[in-house]
Amino acid sequence: MGDVQSCLACDSKRSEENQAHSKRTEISLVPGGAQRSSPRSTASTAVSTASDGLAKVGIGAYFQRDPGDANLLLVKSVLKGSPSQMTGKILVGDKITSVDGKSCYGFSLAELAERLLGHPGSEVTCTFSHPGETSEYSVTLVRGINARSL
């Protein structure tokens, strides 16, 4: 896999030319409309539009490949005030092992985003493990909802 991953919040109607460009540089929209560019990482807080016209949002965490095992994905950062941060459990360096009970082993960042992105207010259950630990923990997150406003 190349050094740069495609944007995970890609609109399915995007032209092939734009898709080719997105493979060179990831651009993700984060809450508040800010844009971030970053190679080899992805935000599950990106905003996309589903085929039904409704927005799709994530859980407020960025992910990257594990440098020691390209089949694993790690939390790169957690956005302040996001559902991920408000759990108090998800930490930078944690390995994501499954989303809604389906293993993430061998997923690309784009495949992970497909699982994490959903309609605002919908739930997703993610399983993680802390570095160096064999035990896992699961959290159910409400997509795109700032936990402080609940």
Side-chain angles (χ1 to χ4, degrees):
M1 201 159 276
D3 280 5
V4 179
Q5 290 294 320
S6 64
C7 174
L8 296 180
C10 297
D11 184 346
S12 61
K13 297 178 184 176
R14 189 187 309 194
S15 71
E16 287 182 22
E17 177 180 297
N18 285 344
Q19 285 180 2
H21 174 71
S22 71
K23 289 180 182 176
R24 291 188 292 274
T25 304
E26 173 220 342
I27 298 178
S28 299
L29 294 176
V30 294
Q35 288 190 4
R36 288 182 77 124
S37 292
S38 175
R40 299 185 63 168
S41 68
T42 185
S44 68
T45 55
V47 178
S48 180
T49 304
S51 59
D52 60 9
L54 298 174
K56 291 175 74 174
V57 295
I59 62 169
Y62 283 85
F63 295 86
Q64 66 183 6
R65 291 220 165 273
D66 182 335
D69 183 346
N71 288 307
L72 301 176
L73 298 172
L74 307 176
V75 176
K76 179 178 181 179
S77 64
V78 176
L79 295 175
K80 183 178 179 180
S82 70
S84 292
Q85 188 221 14
M86 299 310 286
T87 67
K89 295 181 180 182
I90 302 171
L91 304 174
V92 171
D94 284 359
K95 174 177 63 173
I96 186 165
T97 58
S98 69
V99 176
D100 286 333
K102 296 183 181 174
S103 174
C104 295
Y105 188 79
F107 270 21
S108 69
L109 291 169
E111 289 170 318
L112 178 62
E114 281 295 314
R115 302 275 181 175
L116 292 176
L117 293 173
H119 295 303
S122 63
E123 291 185 348
V124 61
T125 300
C126 301
T127 304
F128 296 88
S129 65
H130 294 304
E133 294 184 13
T134 56
S135 63
E136 296 181 337
Y137 65 93
S138 293
V139 292
T140 299
L141 302 149
V142 178
R143 291 177 175 109
I145 300 298
N146 182 331
R148 282 184 257 182
S149 65
L150 293 177

